[in-house]
Amino acid sequence: LLDDQEVPVSTRDPSAGTTTIGEYVESLITQDHYFSTVLPRMPIVVKRQLDTRLAQVGQDRKRTKANRKIVEMFMERGTKVEACVGDDDWRPATVVEVLTDSGSYQH
């Protein structure tokens, strides 16, 4: 849900603007309609669980966007950071190594 790649809202109506893939997926989960199509309903128990987990997504998006601006700082060994352990448990941590997009480790 944090994927920030932009996609058009509608290929038929360019004036509809764009959204991110993460926001698009979130809307499919949380909305009852997809344009004029009624989506199947989720069981109430599942909907409550998803709502609980999705409550933090807005804050997570803001944090991800802010972190991308200073990502180089997080590449340095020994940098103090906060790490999310579990669903919403942030703890102080220190950078030991970084896994890059290419899959290689930096020390």
Side-chain angles (χ1 to χ4, degrees), residues 83-101:
C84 186
V85 181
D87 289 337
D88 192 31
D89 185 15
W90 290 90
R91 297 183 186 174
T94 304
V95 174
V96 176
E97 59 189 359
V98 178
L99 178 62
T100 65
D101 289 339

Side-chain angles (χ1 to χ4, degrees), residues 60-90:
D60 292 344
R61 281 191 187 116
K62 287 179 186 176
R63 184 184 290 247
T64 299
K65 187 175 182 178
N67 286 345
R68 284 205 174 112
K69 293 178 183 176
I70 56 171
V71 71
E72 291 301 318
M73 182 179 81
F74 298 116
M75 298 297 222
E76 295 179 31
R77 185 178 210 164
T79 300
K80 302 293 183 196
V81 295
E82 287 184 329
C84 186
V85 181
D87 289 337
D88 192 31
D89 185 15
W90 290 90

Side-chain angles (χ1 to χ4, degrees), residues 1 3-5 8 10 15 18 20 23 27 29 39 41-42 51 54 57 80-81 88-89 92 95 102-103 105:
L1 294 173
D3 190 329
D4 62 354
Q5 180 180 346
S10 170
S15 66
T18 61
T20 66
E23 290 167 339
S27 72
I29 293 169
L39 297 173
R41 294 182 186 210
M42 281 187 239
D51 287 346
L54 291 175
V57 170
K80 302 293 183 196
V81 295
D88 192 31
D89 185 15
V95 174
S102 64
Y105 285 94

Side-chain angles (χ1 to χ4, degrees), residues 16-63:
T18 61
T19 187
T20 66
I21 290 177
E23 290 167 339
Y24 173 75
V25 170
E26 182 181 4
S27 72
L28 288 175
I29 293 169
T30 60
Q31 304 291 319
D32 295 332
H33 290 81
Y34 178 73
F35 290 96
S36 61
T37 303
V38 178
L39 297 173
R41 294 182 186 210
M42 281 187 239
I44 297 293
V45 173
V46 173
K47 179 106 170 99
R48 284 186 189 143
Q49 289 173 343
L50 284 172
D51 287 346
T52 300
R53 295 188 118 177
L54 291 175
Q56 286 294 117
V57 170
Q59 181 182 350
D60 292 344
R61 281 191 187 116
K62 287 179 186 176
R63 184 184 290 247

